[in-house]
Amino acid sequence: MIKSEIFASVLRDVCEVTGISERDIMSKSKSEEIVDARHLLVVTLRRSGYYPGMIAERLHVSGRAVRKMIGSFRSRADNSPGLEMCRRRVEARRNGNGTNADNLEN
């Protein structure tokens, strides 16, 4: 899979799991649920082989902003059970374990 296909696939998974549109995730919105989805996108892309600079280019933000999202994700997820549940579901999709991650324990 080429990088643009990986990006599109990760973005689609994050949109489907979070219920937030691609347009909203790619926007500059500061709404908490959109920011959470954007952080989830960034972390998932990083785990999929994207470098922070590549992510920054696609999201039209600075590399520093991407590194900050990566660094702050765990704290956000620890304070948001919904975000952690979405992370698990996206991870399950990315690993080919289907869309139902409710039985995952972590």
Side-chain angles (χ1 to χ4, degrees):
M1 205 182 275
I2 60 176
K3 293 289 183 180
S4 61
E5 291 172 348
I6 293 170
F7 182 87
S9 175
V10 170
L11 180 58
R12 183 176 48 253
D13 286 345
V14 170
C15 289
E16 289 176 9
V17 166
T18 63
I20 301 200
S21 73
E22 177 180 328
R23 187 191 81 221
D24 286 340
I25 291 173
M26 299 297 289
S27 75
K28 302 292 183 186
S29 174
K30 303 290 188 202
S31 165
E32 189 171 3
E33 65 181 3
I34 294 171
V35 171
D36 281 350
R38 194 175 304 125
H39 276 66
L40 179 57
L41 172 65
V42 166
V43 167
T44 306
L45 286 169
R46 183 68 184 109
R47 291 177 181 160
S48 297
Y50 267 74
Y51 294 110
M54 297 163 69
I55 298 168
E57 184 178 316
R58 294 227 182 238
L59 295 180
H60 306 288
V61 298
S62 68
R64 181 174 185 236
V66 169
R67 287 186 295 278
K68 185 175 178 182
M69 283 186 250
I70 292 167
S72 67
F73 183 80
R74 179 52 33 214
S75 174
R76 290 186 81 84
D78 287 347
N79 292 310
S80 173
L83 178 57
E84 180 58 25
M85 181 177 57
C86 288
R87 183 200 61 79
R88 289 180 186 178
R89 287 184 174 160
V90 169
E91 187 175 293
R93 283 173 173 256
R94 305 300 307 155
N95 291 330
N97 297 331
T99 60
N100 185 357
D102 292 333
N103 60 355
L104 294 178
E105 295 182 31
N106 277 341

